[in-house]
Amino acid sequence: MPGILYQLVVAAAICALSSGSIAVASGLNATDSFLVCLVGAGVPPRLLQTPASPSYSTTLLSSVRNLRYVTSDIQRPVAIVAATEPAHAQAAVRCGRRHGVRVRARSGGHDYEGLSYASLDPGERFAVLDLAAFRDVRVDSARAEAWAGSGATLGEVYYAVAAASRVLAFPAGICPTVGVGGHLSGGGFGTLMRRYGLAADNVIDAVLVDADGRLLNRTTMGEDLFWAIRGGGGESFGVVLSWKLRLVRVPETVTVFTVRRSINQSASHLITKWQAIAPALPSDLILRVAVRSQHARFEALFLGRCSRLLEHMRVHFPDLGVTQSDCEEISWIQSTVYFAFYSSSKPLELLLDRSGETPRYVKAKSDYVQEPIPRHVWERTWSWLEKPEAGLLILDPYGGRMGSISPSATPFPHRKGNLYNLQYYSYWFENGTAALEKRMSWVRGLYEEMEPYVSKNPRTGYVNYRDLDLGTNELEDNVTSYARARIWGEKYFKGNFERLAAVKAMADPNDFFRNEQSIPPLPAAKGWGSI
Ligand SMILES: Cc1cc2nc3c(=O)[nH]c(=O)nc-3n(C[C@H](O)[C@H](O)[C@H](O)COP(=O)(O)OP(=O)(O)OC[C@H]3O[C@@H](n4cnc5c(N)ncnc54)[C@H](O)[C@@H]3O)c2cc1C
Ligand SMILES: *[C@@H]1O[C@H](CO)[C@@H](O)[C@H](O)[C@H]1NC(C)=O
Ligand SMILES: *[C@@H]1O[C@H](CO)[C@@H](O)[C@H](O)[C@H]1NC(C)=O
Ligand SMILES: *[C@@H]1O[C@H](CO)[C@@H](O)[C@H](O)[C@H]1NC(C)=O
Ligand SMILES: *[C@@H]1O[C@H](CO)[C@@H](O)[C@H](O)[C@H]1NC(C)=O
Ligand SMILES: *[C@@H]1O[C@H](CO)[C@@H](O)[C@H](O)[C@H]1NC(C)=O
């Protein structure tokens, strides 16, 4: 046990004996007082780490997915609280409020802008509340429901669901190491979305620690707060400890294929046609595209057999030229391995590997496309994709169930009228400003070039593809400025942003849960109709 923690335990014991509440021991700074408070509240010291602890860096880096936020000039947490019980998370919030230490929840650590473990404000004192230990997944296959801890990864959820039933699934994202905590907080889409909607659309209850440190469920938090936490983005409303999921039906056998078409195999023509075709396909079929270098890779999941899939492709997209030999008939759980690791024969246990891919630098941006982008634009795009510093484009088609859910049913507003989500994604391994600047300007440059062809007023994006270029918060009278936050907020949430801010004003009026893109409390003067 590091020396400071030993002293803290002693101090906490004394405090607890003397008063029953943890008064600030004289001579302790805010961080130490916070730690004393936690220990006094029953958090075992071994779950607390400070920069002085030998394992601090290892723990901090354990789920960092973007090395851009691992630099000396970025503010690190004053402590990591590796909670193992709800009471620890409640204590983190209560002690944090009392002693001026903010709390950033971290589930899978995949935030594109590192917001679960780093702060851009050099003056901010915050602790990471690490939820990796909250990863139980309990499946009730008879009711087609499951409870999943926020620290579970998508891979762990998929694995547990498939272990309980061959005909149940959960509709969420593709990367198995993504955490359920952040993913469901921001929406969550993947290969089943055209049939079943977002992950957040299939959440039916949740356990949340609110800004007063209370443990709430759907009934006790109320429908407004329950609405906000299913898509309003992580961090703003409290810490979700677990989610109750509605599982969905899949056939025992599904079909996948991947076909690659290069520039000289009409890739531009195929992408151009794809834009109108893919969003209109039957909802039990998804055909997504990744475009990089000199080719487009078309990847499909069909909830049925190959023969029927080929019929659909012949009717809707004969130009793609998919044949029987492209098909693989597998189980749904194998399809999750297929999309994550490009092979259906790899072991399912890969889904349980939390360590994930080699650490890398990442920058991404996103758009929604509402009218097909003209072919000449795609032809021009190859000159971007062929550059040495190029990243890739990922096109995820909506339509189906995504288009039939009301844009105000959850905070996620990108429903009817959106053909597809267009993601600009770059990753690299070299450290240094030269590589950083080249990669960043590639992503930003192509994004700028696409502006005439994507959604407008506002130009929208997906909150789970966090992009701080869209704007960051500023304070006004010690709370996050609503006027300023609208700049980025309406891009992610459109008309739902004001309602999110109204819920925030109700649930966390003092703005304890705050980060660079957290929802601001709606100023009282503005009011909001139904709340
Ligand atoms: C490689 C990769 C692939 C991806 N693929 C997809 C995809 O297919 N589909 C898709 O929709 N998205 C995808 N994403 C985006 C992903 O959904 C988001 O990054 C998501 O927010 C990550 O959740 P997390 O728990 O891993 O992240 P974290 O970094 O832990 O959290 C993200 C944000 O939520 C907050 N938060 C975390 N846990 C909680 C909690 N329990 N309660 C309240 N707030 C919390 C954090 O403070 C932070 O602000 C991908 C991201 C990566 C890096
Ligand atoms: C708080 O005090 C401890 C010593 O008790 C010290 O290690 C730590 O750096 C201080 N933190 C801050 C933020 O001043
Ligand atoms: C990259 O280099 C910077 C500056 O030398 C350093 O602070 C940072 O820790 C390095 N990052 C990694 C991941 O090695
Ligand atoms: C929610 O919490 C309340 C109070 O603790 C409890 O009575 C109720 O049964 C819970 N609801 C559900 C669905 O678990
Ligand atoms: C098409 O281009 C690829 C490289 O982009 C090349 O390998 C292939 O031989 C070309 N095919 C034809 C038919 O020209
Ligand atoms: C803002 O909050 C900080 C700490 O939370 C406090 O020290 C400061 O006095 C507050 N300022 C105002 C104007 O309320």
Side-chain angles (χ1 to χ4, degrees):
M1 187 186 302
I4 176 67
L5 283 179
Y6 175 73
Q7 292 165 28
L8 292 172
V9 175
V10 174
I14 293 166
C15 291
L17 280 175
S18 58
S19 65
S21 80
I22 306 305
V24 179
S26 62
L28 295 182
N29 62 29
T31 304
D32 289 346
S33 305
F34 171 68
L35 295 169
V36 169
C37 178
L38 286 170
V39 173
V43 180
R46 68 185 159 76
L47 301 180
L48 304 176
Q49 292 168 39
T50 67
S53 317
S55 51
Y56 171 88
S57 287
T58 319
T59 310
L60 185 64
L61 293 177
S62 62
S63 71
V64 162
R65 297 294 163 184
N66 191 349
L67 295 178
R68 270 198 302 129
Y69 292 96
V70 184
T71 63
S72 44
D73 56 339
I74 283 182
Q75 186 68 0
R76 290 175 156 211
V78 297
I80 302 171
V81 182
T84 59
E85 289 173 25
H88 303 161
Q90 293 177 273
V93 171
R94 291 196 173 125
C95 295
R97 279 191 76 168
R98 195 171 312 156
H99 298 290
V101 175
R102 289 186 188 282
V103 166
R104 291 187 181 225
R106 181 169 77 173
S107 292
H110 280 54
D111 193 279
Y112 277 165
E113 303 279 15
L115 299 192
S116 53
Y117 51 85
S119 169
L120 298 189
D121 172 1
E124 184 178 324
R125 201 162 44 218
F126 71 97
V128 165
L129 176 55
D130 197 301
L131 299 169
F134 286 83
R135 55 200 254 219
D136 268 11
V137 183
R138 278 177 291 123
V139 179
D140 181 342
S141 46
R143 304 176 73 109
E145 291 171 356
W147 275 101
S150 277
T153 61
L154 296 180
E156 289 170 339
V157 171
Y158 297 159
Y159 189 92
V161 170
S165 164
R166 292 179 60 81
V167 292
L168 291 175
F170 185 68
I174 288 174
C175 170
T177 52
V178 163
V180 170
H183 190 66
L184 274 57
S185 294
F189 61 76
T191 54
L192 294 176
M193 70 170 146
R194 302 193 67 257
R195 178 74 176 83
Y196 293 113
L198 301 172
D201 295 330
N202 293 283
V203 167
I204 51 182
D205 203 340
V207 173
L208 172 92
V209 177
D210 79 353
D212 294 322
R214 292 177 301 190
L215 207 55
L216 304 176
N217 63 20
R218 180 174 184 166
T219 312
T220 48
M221 81 178 77
E223 288 299 306
D224 287 319
L225 189 48
F226 186 62
W227 174 84
I229 61 172
R230 286 170 302 147
E235 187 65 18
S236 296
F237 301 97
V239 180
V240 177
L241 298 185
S242 55
W243 307 90
K244 189 179 191 182
L245 314 176
R246 176 173 51 226
L247 304 178
V248 302
R249 303 255 150 216
V250 288
E252 282 194 30
T253 304
V254 303
T255 306
V256 294
F257 71 71
T258 298
V259 297
R260 234 173 98 125
R261 298 289 181 258
S262 52
I263 301 177
N264 56 11
Q265 294 167 310
S266 329
S268 308
H269 162 75
L270 293 171
I271 298 167
T272 306
K273 288 204 94 172
W274 172 91
Q275 299 174 99
I277 293 170
L281 287 171
S283 66
D284 49 7
L285 171 56
I286 187 165
L287 179 61
R288 60 200 298 269
V289 194
V291 191
R292 72 193 307 169
S293 183
Q294 302 185 330
H295 66 266
R297 199 179 64 224
F298 293 84
E299 305 175 342
L301 170 69
F302 177 58
L303 301 179
R305 295 283 183 164
C306 176
S307 53
R308 185 98 181 89
L309 170 58
L310 291 178
E311 262 172 59
H312 284 314
M313 296 310 294
R314 266 194 301 273
V315 171
H316 299 284
F317 203 178
D319 293 7
L320 191 57
V322 179
T323 64
Q324 178 133 26
S325 64
D326 296 314
C327 280
E328 285 188 62
E329 291 185 336
I330 56 181
S331 61
W332 167 74
I333 192 66
Q334 280 175 299
S335 83
T336 67
V337 174
Y338 179 86
F339 285 103
F341 304 103
Y342 308 113
S343 158
S344 60
S345 57
K346 297 222 168 119
L348 297 183
E349 283 61 36
L350 276 180
L351 297 171
L352 303 178
D353 177 3
R354 295 175 68 98
S355 56
E357 359 173 65
T358 320
R360 55 194 61 194
Y361 299 82
V362 176
K363 176 63 194 172
K365 300 176 79 68
S366 66
D367 264 316
Y368 281 94
V369 178
Q370 299 173 332
E371 302 281 340
I373 297 174
R375 177 166 171 168
H376 69 89
V377 177
W378 288 113
E379 273 161 4
R380 206 166 63 211
T381 303
W382 298 114
S383 66
W384 284 88
L385 292 161
E386 286 168 1
K387 292 183 186 194
E389 74 274 22
L392 66 153
L393 298 175
I394 301 168
L395 286 60
D396 276 303
Y398 282 17
R401 185 78 186 117
M402 289 297 285
S404 68
I405 294 175
S406 153
S408 59
T410 71
F412 180 98
H414 317 288
R415 305 286 187 168
K416 193 168 182 229
N418 290 290
L419 296 176
Y420 60 97
N421 178 282
L422 170 57
Q423 186 182 188
Y424 311 78
Y425 188 85
S426 180
Y427 62 88
W428 62 99
F429 299 95
E430 318 86 284
N431 193 1
T433 44
L436 177 80
E437 278 166 16
K438 273 196 129 165
R439 302 289 181 153
M440 298 289 278
S441 47
W442 183 88
V443 175
R444 289 171 175 156
L446 182 51
Y447 178 81
E448 198 178 306
E449 184 144 320
M450 287 299 198
E451 195 224 57
Y453 312 107
V454 297
S455 66
K456 296 180 183 52
N457 304 313
R459 182 177 187 179
T460 52
Y462 172 39
V463 65
N464 263 349
Y465 294 161
R466 174 111 49 210
D467 177 8
L468 294 183
D469 295 349
L470 300 183
T472 51
N473 286 335
E474 272 176 15
L475 296 184
E476 198 179 312
D477 299 332
N478 251 0
V479 297
T480 301
S481 158
Y482 176 73
R484 165 92 187 174
R486 276 181 70 178
I487 298 169
W488 60 263
E490 290 181 352
K491 294 173 181 158
Y492 291 146
F493 303 113
K494 299 172 82 172
N496 292 330
F497 182 66
E498 187 177 336
R499 181 171 173 199
L500 283 168
V503 177
K504 173 77 172 181
M506 180 188 72
D508 182 18
N510 298 313
D511 200 22
F512 175 67
F513 292 113
R514 178 196 284 178
N515 67 26
E516 288 71 7
Q517 282 187 342
S518 56
I519 305 290
L522 188 69
K526 295 207 58 111
W528 200 79
S530 77
I531 290 186

